[in-house]
Amino acid sequence: MTVTLMNALTQGRIAHGYIFSGHRGIGKTTIARILAMALNCRNAIGSAVRPTAEPCEVCESCTEIRAGNAVDVIEIDAATNRGIDEIRELRDAARYRPARDKYKIYILDEAHQITDAAFNALLKTLEEPPDHIVFMMATTQPEDIPQTVRSRCQHFSFHAVKLVDILGELRGIAEREGVDADESALSLLAEAGDGSMRDALSIMDQAIASAPVEDGRPRLDAGQIRELMGTVPNAVFERILEAVDGNRSAEVITVANQLLDAGNSPAQLARQFVRYLRNAVIAKIAGIGVDGAGADGVAGELLQVSADEQRRAGRSAALFSEEELTRFLQVMLRTFDELGYRQEQRFHFELGLLKLVHLRRLLPIEEVLSQFPVGGGSRPGPGVATARTVSTASTPSRSPVSGAATARVLETSATVASARPAFSPFEKDQSRNRFDEKAIAAAPIAIVPVAALVVPIAAPMPVPAAEATPAPVATPAEMVLTDCDSIGAALATEGLAVAALPVVEKPIETAVERPETAGSASSSDMQPTSLHSAEELQRVAVDALSAAKNQATPADALADAEWSVTENEIRVQTELSKTMLPMVINAEAEKLTRAALRDAGAGALKLVLLPGVKSAASAKKPRAAKSGSVQAKALEHPIVQRAQTLFNAEVRNVIDLRDND
């Protein structure tokens, strides 16, 4: 950049607009002033006083510009004078020629603060400027300057100052100012500058002012500078990572507690830990050893820390893989972001440190996949439960086949001696939402009775004669197989599909008594309920609310409640609290319920809604099927009733597989 500007001055190719952008505190405004001195210097380039394009710094114009009182060099704070009125005044004043010097120069500091309307007012002047006008804009955010302005100016992008350059400058200042400074203290000051020479100088000036005086000379040491900046030694973070590597959560929390009790800010600690983890990641990528080997060249440019810190970063990087360090950095970056708007910053900082320990316990996906066999025909390894599901369904359009090949559903799982590894933390939640082989395999039972989900196609079918004669029952497992075959064969002739769901979680301990006929079920189960029975009245009320608009929640509440009928009232024991009862079962829902009960012939009975929670001893009754629904027809089927009696099961869902004509 310096060479480009000097060549332009030598060749006389002067632009009328310059944009100097880059990191804060790296000399953008200073370069603008030096360029203004070079443009208005009264000594010609190549003379004895000015052999190069750089200003002579001795003429009257150079001294006035350096002092800041030159008439023809106007420096404007664009953050304050950012409106269209100020820019219009500048544009009007630009028409007049300079009072004494060759160029009239405007330096706009923080130019990105100027409004769009003000930039638009300056466009014409930038596009067709007078020969004596030069605009110089310094900014840290060049993207905020409109593209129409940038296209009319020469853009120079400044880079951050390197650590070695800042360190060398600080070392020279310390010698000239008579300050005794340790190399580690100067390294801390240079790192604190973060590429900004101005920031490093500001911190150094503050450190010198607070330094103790020995033999009439201020002395800077690393401990004093850390206390001044509110930072801690990076050896603390090295210790934390060593504890993370050893899976010692207590030590991590202990170190964090010591740092916080000492008065350190959680946000500052997280910020410093993020920088340390970044250095560890770079050390791992660059291959820096524990002794600092390989820190020269590109690796040193990437780290921008002292030699001691390079060795420390190399030691921490040797403990982990590149992927682990990257995950650590991501977690701490998120923790640092959250600390800005969290109330309990201490807790969130400690949680972020604990996450680092937990991340070490995760298995790589490659290691998990390597435990599975190659090829689909192999059996899983030990520790993985197996399950087999065979289910077929015939439709009226298909030819009937044998019962053993048509509808045979049996779910089995073996109890595994060794602990089953939890590869996914969401496996338990998935098993509650989906019915799959993994959920069946996880059940610790030997043989599981199943509940049939039956879709009736035609009228109830009489039981085949072959089923009337019971077969010898040897074991419960053989009984389950035989009954599944017989029921499946009977249902297959009518195009019924049978699926399975586990309904009990204990093995069959006694032999299952096969009823002689389908009619051998208890008469109480087969007889219709009375009109004023609790079950019938509950079904009527739930159906009425389900058919109404926006009454699904009260319907569910009444369906889950316990209904009882006395001589003069209907008592509904709900699961709702005293506060939630009138909110869930509102006046409209109660009105619809009373009307439905009145139409059912129970208008003389008083409806009483009771709050509270049902007793744990009472089993939850299945929701009554809606009259005329597919589920109601399925429950009336004699084979379904026989299956319920045989397996002591309940029908939870019915799927209609008939063709929609």
Side-chain angles (χ1 to χ4, degrees):
M1 190 180 309
T2 304
V3 173
T4 303
L5 291 175
M6 291 181 64
N7 291 338
L9 291 171
T10 303
Q11 301 173 16
R13 306 182 66 86
I14 307 302
H16 294 282
Y18 293 93
I19 295 178
F20 299 140
S21 66
H23 198 57
R24 69 184 186 280
I26 57 176
K28 299 184 295 295
T29 307
T30 303
I31 287 291
R33 295 187 187 126
I34 295 174
L35 180 59
M37 293 167 58
L39 289 175
N40 286 338
C41 184
R42 298 188 179 184
N43 294 311
I45 299 175
S47 61
V49 182
R50 187 186 180 189
T52 63
E54 293 186 4
C56 67
E57 302 186 31
V58 294
C59 67
E60 187 177 0
S61 296
C62 290
T63 54
E64 287 181 356
I65 294 174
R66 169 176 284 185
N69 54 12
V71 178
D72 295 325
V73 177
I74 302 97
E75 188 170 343
I76 300 174
D77 180 17
T80 304
N81 305 280
R82 61 193 301 265
I84 189 173
D85 295 333
E86 290 83 356
I87 298 300
R88 282 174 177 170
E89 293 178 2
L90 184 151
R91 183 188 60 186
D92 295 338
R95 294 181 300 175
Y96 301 102
R97 298 194 63 84
R100 184 188 60 189
D101 296 328
K102 182 178 180 180
Y103 292 99
K104 197 170 190 177
I105 301 171
Y106 289 92
I107 300 176
L108 304 177
D109 200 6
E110 301 296 334
H112 60 275
Q113 300 280 3
I114 299 177
T115 62
D116 292 340
F119 270 125
N120 291 333
L122 194 61
L123 277 179
K124 192 62 177 177
T125 304
L126 287 174
E127 186 173 7
E128 298 177 359
D131 296 337
H132 58 273
I133 290 294
V134 176
F135 288 99
M136 300 180 188
M137 290 174 276
T139 177
T140 57
Q141 302 176 22
E143 63 276 1
D144 291 346
I145 298 178
Q147 181 64 33
T148 53
V149 174
R150 281 185 284 168
S151 63
R152 290 169 168 82
C153 301
Q154 290 187 9
H155 188 185
F156 291 88
S157 180
F158 287 61
H159 301 291
V161 185
K162 297 180 181 179
L163 179 72
V164 292
D165 297 334
I166 298 179
L167 190 60
E169 187 67 22
L170 296 181
R171 191 180 296 112
I173 292 175
E175 293 176 358
R176 292 191 297 268
E177 295 290 333
V179 178
D180 295 333
D182 299 337
E183 192 67 22
S184 58
L186 295 178
S187 298
L188 282 176
L189 293 174
E191 292 176 19
D194 194 20
S196 172
M197 182 65 73
R198 182 178 61 203
D199 291 356
L201 292 176
S202 299
I203 299 174
M204 184 179 184
D205 192 16
Q206 185 179 0
I208 293 175
S210 61
V213 179
E214 297 180 1
D215 298 332
R217 294 169 62 93
R219 178 169 182 80
L220 299 179
D221 57 27
Q224 174 222 351
I225 294 175
R226 286 197 186 96
E227 184 178 357
L228 179 66
M229 297 188 301
T231 60
V232 296
N234 285 336
V236 175
F237 302 113
E238 183 182 7
R239 179 185 172 189
I240 290 177
L241 289 181
E242 290 176 352
V244 170
D245 178 59
N247 197 19
R248 300 190 296 270
S249 302
E251 183 176 350
V252 172
I253 294 299
T254 301
V255 174
N257 182 67
Q258 294 173 354
L259 294 175
L260 295 173
D261 288 346
N264 296 290
S265 169
Q268 177 64 24
L269 291 174
R271 180 178 182 273
Q272 192 174 352
F273 197 12
V274 165
R275 295 179 63 89
Y276 184 77
L277 284 173
R278 183 263 177 191
N279 292 339
V281 172
I282 296 301
K284 189 69 176 181
I285 295 174
I288 298 178
V290 294
D291 56 350
D296 52 349
V298 180
E301 294 288 337
L302 291 174
L303 277 181
Q304 292 289 305
V305 292
S306 62
D308 292 339
E309 294 301 327
Q310 289 176 355
R311 288 190 291 269
R312 180 174 285 110
R315 290 194 297 268
S316 297
L319 300 175
F320 309 97
S321 65
E322 183 180 331
E323 293 78 6
E324 289 173 333
L325 289 172
T326 304
R327 285 195 292 266
F328 292 169
L329 181 58
Q330 184 179 17
V331 168
M332 290 311 301
L333 278 172
R334 187 176 303 171
T335 302
F336 176 69
D337 291 339
E338 291 178 352
L339 289 177
Y341 56 89
R342 297 293 186 179
Q343 296 295 330
E344 299 292 344
Q345 291 190 350
R346 180 192 184 106
F347 301 155
H348 286 280
F349 177 67
E350 293 173 341
L351 177 61
L353 294 180
L354 284 178
K355 286 180 180 179
L356 303 185
V357 183
H358 298 163
L359 285 176
R360 289 282 286 170
R361 302 172 184 172
L362 297 181
L363 290 177
I365 187 64
E366 296 83 2
E367 182 177 346
V368 176
L369 294 178
S370 64
Q371 299 180 8
F372 290 89
V374 179
S378 303
R379 296 177 61 85
V384 181
T386 59
R388 180 174 61 89
T389 304
V390 180
S391 62
T392 57
S394 61
T395 58
S397 60
R398 299 176 182 177
S399 58
V401 293
S402 61
T406 303
R408 186 177 197 177
V409 182
L410 180 62
E411 302 294 340
T412 63
S413 65
T415 304
V416 183
S418 60
R420 187 168 180 267
F423 293 123
S424 172
F426 308 106
E427 183 175 357
K428 185 177 295 185
D429 295 335
Q430 293 175 353
S431 64
R432 291 197 293 264
N433 300 330
R434 292 187 304 177
F435 175 69
D436 53 7
E437 294 183 0
K438 291 183 180 180
I440 295 301
I445 57 178
I447 297 179
V448 183
V450 296
L453 306 179
V454 186
V455 182
I457 301 300
M461 180 187 67
V463 180
E467 292 292 330
T469 304
V473 180
T475 62
E478 293 178 356
M479 172 59 69
V480 173
L481 287 171
T482 305
D483 289 328
C484 285
D485 288 339
S486 60
I487 294 176
L491 295 178
T493 57
E494 292 191 359
L496 301 181
V498 181
L501 280 174
V503 295
V504 295
E505 295 184 358
K506 60 181 179 179
I508 301 176
E509 298 178 357
T510 58
V512 181
E513 303 243 349
R514 181 196 297 273
E516 295 298 330
T517 61
S520 63
S522 61
S523 59
S524 61
D525 294 338
M526 302 299 295
Q527 293 178 354
T529 58
S530 174
L531 180 62
H532 288 169
S533 65
E535 292 79 3
E536 180 65 20
L537 294 178
Q538 183 181 17
R539 184 188 62 79
V540 170
V542 171
D543 290 346
L545 290 178
S546 299
K549 186 178 180 180
N550 299 329
Q551 298 297 333
T553 302
D556 293 339
L558 294 182
D560 295 335
E562 291 184 356
W563 289 57
S564 60
V565 180
T566 61
E567 295 181 357
N568 56 358
E569 66 180 7
I570 303 174
R571 302 178 66 86
V572 180
Q573 181 67 53
T574 66
E575 298 179 348
L576 305 173
S577 63
K578 185 177 181 181
T579 305
M580 293 298 299
L581 180 60
M583 298 176 63
V584 176
I585 306 178
N586 50 28
E588 181 65 23
E590 187 175 352
K591 180 179 178 182
L592 293 174
T593 303
R594 295 182 186 277
L597 297 176
R598 185 170 55 253
D599 295 341
L605 300 179
K606 180 181 178 181
L607 179 63
V608 179
L609 300 175
L610 300 176
V613 181
K614 295 193 300 182
S615 62
S618 61
K620 186 176 180 179
K621 299 178 293 183
R623 186 175 296 180
K626 187 176 180 180
S627 178
S629 63
V630 176
Q631 186 172 6
K633 293 181 180 180
L635 292 175
E636 297 172 358
H637 202 286
I639 297 180
V640 178
Q641 296 173 355
R642 183 179 177 186
Q644 287 182 289
T645 305
L646 177 62
F647 300 119
N648 190 24
E650 64 178 82
V651 177
R652 294 191 178 181
N653 191 18
V654 177
I655 304 175
D656 192 351
L657 299 179
R658 295 175 296 182
D659 295 334
N660 297 324
D661 298 333

